Amino acid sequence: MANPPLREVPEIEDTLFIVAIADEVSKKCDSISGRRLKGLSILLNLRAHANRLGYSDAEIRNQVESDAEKKRMRAKGEAYLKSQGVAIGESETYCAFGRAEIKKSSAIGALLKAK
């Protein structure tokens, strides 16, 4: 029995999504930086978890590097950010979102740091 696509494994998809949102905020807001080592650690742990679920490194790499998956994740991220009051392309709205996430100590906020 083949494993479902990684995007259908909630703990994989959700964690990749959180890291992607935090990365986008850190890129769009000059007053917030990403906690890169923490993000990298999360991604390495996620890969190990996916391996334990039976996914090969090649399958994981194909998922993460796929243009279609990148496009899907970007659309999902933009929809989420818009729902949170972010105006795509307006850096201050990313900053406000990021500061709120940091203040809440959310999973996204844990990957961000105010400069």
Side-chain angles (χ1 to χ4, degrees):
M1 189 168 134
N3 286 323
L6 281 166
R7 70 178 167 277
E8 294 177 12
V9 181
E11 63 267 28
I12 303 292
E13 173 73 6
D14 295 346
T15 303
L16 285 174
F17 184 72
I18 288 165
V19 172
I21 294 292
D23 184 56
E24 187 72 4
V25 170
S26 72
K27 287 177 180 174
K28 301 290 186 184
C29 175
D30 291 338
S31 65
I32 293 177
S33 62
R35 294 182 183 270
R36 304 259 183 243
L37 288 179
K38 187 170 189 165
L40 179 60
S41 175
I42 288 170
L43 292 175
L44 290 172
N45 287 333
L46 192 61
R47 183 182 71 187
H49 179 65
N51 288 149
R52 286 190 301 276
L53 293 174
Y55 294 91
S56 69
D57 285 345
E59 288 173 304
I60 296 165
R61 195 171 24 263
N62 287 340
Q63 167 79 19
V64 173
E65 295 176 359
S66 159
D67 288 339
E69 284 302 312
K70 287 178 185 178
K71 185 176 179 181
R72 184 188 66 80
M73 187 65 78
R74 175 156 297 283
K76 181 180 174 181
E78 285 183 0
Y80 175 76
L81 288 168
K82 285 178 185 176
S83 78
Q84 299 300 306
V86 173
I88 304 304
E90 293 183 24
S91 65
E92 185 47 44
T93 62
Y94 289 87
C95 295
F97 170 77
R99 286 189 298 269
E101 293 297 307
I102 292 167
K103 186 175 182 179
K104 289 190 299 191
S105 298
S106 70
I108 294 169
L111 294 171
L112 300 170
K113 182 171 93 172
K115 292 182 181 176

